[in-house]
Amino acid sequence: MSRRPRLRPPWFATGASMDVGELRGQTEEASTSHGAIVIGAGAAGLAAAHALIKAGVPTIILEKESRLAEPWHRRHEQLHLNTHRDLSALPGAGYPAGTPAFPARTAVIRHLNDFSQAHSLPVEFGVAVEEIAFKRDHWIVQTNTGPRLARHVVVATGRDRQPFIPEWKGAGDFAGRIIHSADFGRAKNYAGKKVLVVGAGNSGFDVLNHLANIETRNMWLSARNGPSILPKRIGKIAVHRLSPFMARLPLWLADAVMATTQRLVFGDLTKFGMPKAPSGGASRLTSDYTAIAADEGAVRAIKAGKIAVVPAVREFIRDGVILGDGKMIAPDIVIAATGYRTGLEQMVGGLGVLDGKGVPLFNGGEADPKLPGLWFTGMRPSIRGCFANASIQAKAIAQQIVGQGR
Ligand SMILES: Cc1cc2nc3c(=O)[nH]c(=O)nc-3n(C[C@H](O)[C@H](O)[C@H](O)COP(=O)(O)OP(=O)(O)OC[C@H]3O[C@@H](n4cnc5c(N)ncnc54)[C@H](O)[C@@H]3O)c2cc1C
């Protein structure tokens, strides 16, 4: 686990008792330096801090939790990455020999800790950033331990920070349980139960891949849109290994390659009630940030009739769920695999940098000239996966900052 920094760069004001007025007095000192604060010590934040420090930018990382990789600690224990280990490593690092092609959640936790330790990354734990504001030529970062100052702020708080469940009509009256896929827990706890999974995206298929091996009483998948879905492996080939090649293709061609692969591997899933995908996998990833789902048994269970694909949820009543076609089903438990939100409204909502879904309008090496020194990383999905993308964005941000010479 990373330790607190031994050296505190002079570019940062850290006294919890200081007020912003006092901090403003230190702006003159800050104006001659390139200090950066990275918010969040996940893969994106660690990669960004590493790139900045390597480029000579004095940097600290503020992390609200008391240890690294807290989001991975909280995820369900069966979780293995959908991305290949060689494309799920932080810059210059790798997984130990013997790590499976798709590392377990625990291997990811170890990897993040090893990386942070190997580079002595200056993570300050237990510091939650509440709001940031731009003043003249620097950023004031308000935290639960007092304000900090920096020339650059890199927001790396994760695109899946807040589980999102739609406000379904009647949900409060439902006699069963409604949980988010983030709280899936152990697959075996669903044995003998009637389970409805809502959402045929990446999280929905992750849950279904695990439930496919469990004897549930009933299992339904409510799909509003058909997924863009690929198998984790074709024969011995880990499909995600091809992602750097796919990422270089024009969108239309990447869409076509994915659709053809999906069709060749799975056949026509509309025969099993799956709606058509509204557009290609690469296009949806870019336009509405929908990640590509990975199959590891769920499609076989759909074809075998173990999972029934049903229409979108219309509303809840006490005894069940009314679907888009007017039919009712009566699950014991509903798993909402309905995505996540960035939850950035409080931190940066006043800056006009978020779209309607709370996703930053710029990411990686992109910036808003009106807000110099504000950067976001890890806020969009990528065909390459979040880890490989974290390295690319970290490099781009460091290059921009060094190039600007602010
Ligand atoms: C179930 C699931 C499976 C996934 N599988 C894969 C996969 O196989 N491959 C892949 O590439 N991606 C996967 N992802 C996406 C995954 O989230 C990313 O890979 C990666 O964890 C994102 O890293 P990040 O650094 O952007 O965000 P995070 O890992 O979420 O890190 C953000 C950090 O910021 C901290 N933070 C948040 N708010 C504040 C604040 N206000 N102040 C200070 N600190 C703060 C958090 O505590 C956290 O430590 C998966 C996601 C989920 C939900």
Side-chain angles (χ1 to χ4, degrees), residues 38-47 61-72 74-76 79-84 87-88 90 102-103 108 112 124-131 142-144 155-161 180-182 202-203 206 232 240 340 342-344 347 377-380 382-390 393:
V38 174
I39 308 173
L46 294 177
I61 311 170
L62 304 181
E63 168 55 54
K64 73 179 168 71
E65 302 291 347
S66 58
R67 58 180 176 177
L68 283 183
E70 190 58 42
W72 291 101
R74 288 186 193 155
R75 284 173 190 154
H76 67 82
L79 186 69
H80 281 71
L81 291 183
N82 285 337
T83 48
H84 190 272
L87 295 159
S88 303
L90 288 168
F102 298 104
V108 178
L112 295 177
E124 288 192 34
F125 291 103
V127 185
V129 173
E130 290 154 1
E131 198 175 355
Q142 298 289 357
T143 80
N144 61 333
V155 182
T157 48
R159 56 184 289 273
D160 33 32
R161 188 164 167 235
H180 190 271
S181 56
N202 197 17
S203 300
D206 173 54
K232 265 182 138 165
H240 184 249
Y340 294 83
T342 63
L344 282 171
M347 193 188 295
T377 178
M379 296 295 163
R380 314 253 168 86
S382 151
I383 288 184
R384 290 183 176 89
C386 297
F387 293 90
N389 214 31
Q393 289 174 356

